[in-house]
Amino acid sequence: LDQLDQLDQLNENIDSSYLAHLSLNEQLKNFQNCIWRRSKAKVKVGLSGGVDSSVSAYLLQRQGYDVTGIYMRNWDLREENYQCSTTQDEIDAEKICKQLGIKFETVDFVKEYWVKVFETTLKGYQNGITPNPDILCNKWIKFGVLLDHVKNQSNIDFIATGHYARIKFEKNANNDDDDNYKIKLL
């Protein structure tokens, strides 16, 4: 937590737009609902067990949000014969939540990950391309299945992750198109 406090001092340099939600109108509506019911906005933070998502949870908590950490179990280790970091990642995510004094939950997206990410990656390899499973996971699982899971919980106002971006739209050299394609997967 001391390291997190040090990171908080650098907060001025961090773009704090961690709230990855559907639209500005929905964010405004959720914020107004929080004011109306005079309670803290409730945020679920997708925790990987790593630094970025842990800092997101910490900063949101420091800003007064009611934060719950949510870990996505995307791989079934029962049939594996090698060491995989997912078990340690889940332990680390839960440990961060305990240190911050926030709620923790695990959701099981093994089936969704298998179909949307793993099988797609294997098919890509068979067809001579090399898809990036991390990008597929971001698109289909984190900003797909997880977002849908959280949206179906009526008492949650926002979802956040450790992902961050500064988005700047510029015209290309021909000034006939912008660079929207660079962020299309988000």
Side-chain angles (χ1 to χ4, degrees), residues 3 15 17 48 96:
Q3 291 174 340
D15 183 7
S17 59
S48 65
I96 287 293

Side-chain angles (χ1 to χ4, degrees), residues 129-177:
I129 61 172
T130 53
N132 184 326
D134 292 335
I135 291 174
L136 296 174
C137 182
N138 286 342
K139 179 180 181 180
W140 296 110
I141 307 301
K142 290 177 189 165
F143 299 113
V145 179
L146 177 64
L147 183 61
D148 290 341
H149 172 80
V150 172
K151 280 183 0 187
N152 289 331
Q153 298 175 351
S154 61
N155 64 337
I156 300 301
D157 301 299
F158 301 102
I159 184 171
T161 68
H163 294 78
Y164 48 90
R166 290 200 177 160
I167 300 169
K168 181 178 177 182
F169 295 101
E170 295 178 0
K171 295 288 185 183
N172 65 17
N174 297 327
N175 284 333
D176 59 356
D177 198 8

Side-chain angles (χ1 to χ4, degrees), residues 50-133:
V51 173
D52 292 342
S53 59
S54 299
V55 170
S56 292
Y58 172 76
L59 291 175
L60 288 166
Q61 182 191 43
R62 292 275 304 235
Q63 292 172 12
Y65 292 92
D66 180 2
V67 179
T68 299
I70 184 168
Y71 178 82
M72 299 181 306
R73 186 178 298 127
N74 295 331
W75 196 256
D76 187 350
L77 296 175
R78 289 180 289 193
E79 297 180 21
E80 299 297 331
N81 293 325
Y82 65 92
Q83 182 68 24
C84 184
S85 69
T86 59
T87 302
Q88 187 61 49
D89 293 343
E90 185 174 356
I91 291 168
D92 291 345
E94 186 171 13
K95 188 184 296 184
I96 287 293
C97 288
K98 284 181 183 174
Q99 288 176 331
L100 294 175
I102 64 175
K103 297 173 283 264
F104 175 77
E105 67 182 71
T106 298
V107 290
D108 188 321
F109 296 145
V110 171
K111 188 182 302 182
E112 295 87 344
Y113 185 89
W114 184 271
V115 171
K116 293 181 181 277
V117 177
F118 189 67
E119 286 183 353
T120 301
T121 300
L122 291 179
K123 287 176 187 171
Y125 292 155
Q126 291 169 348
N127 291 314
I129 61 172
T130 53
N132 184 326

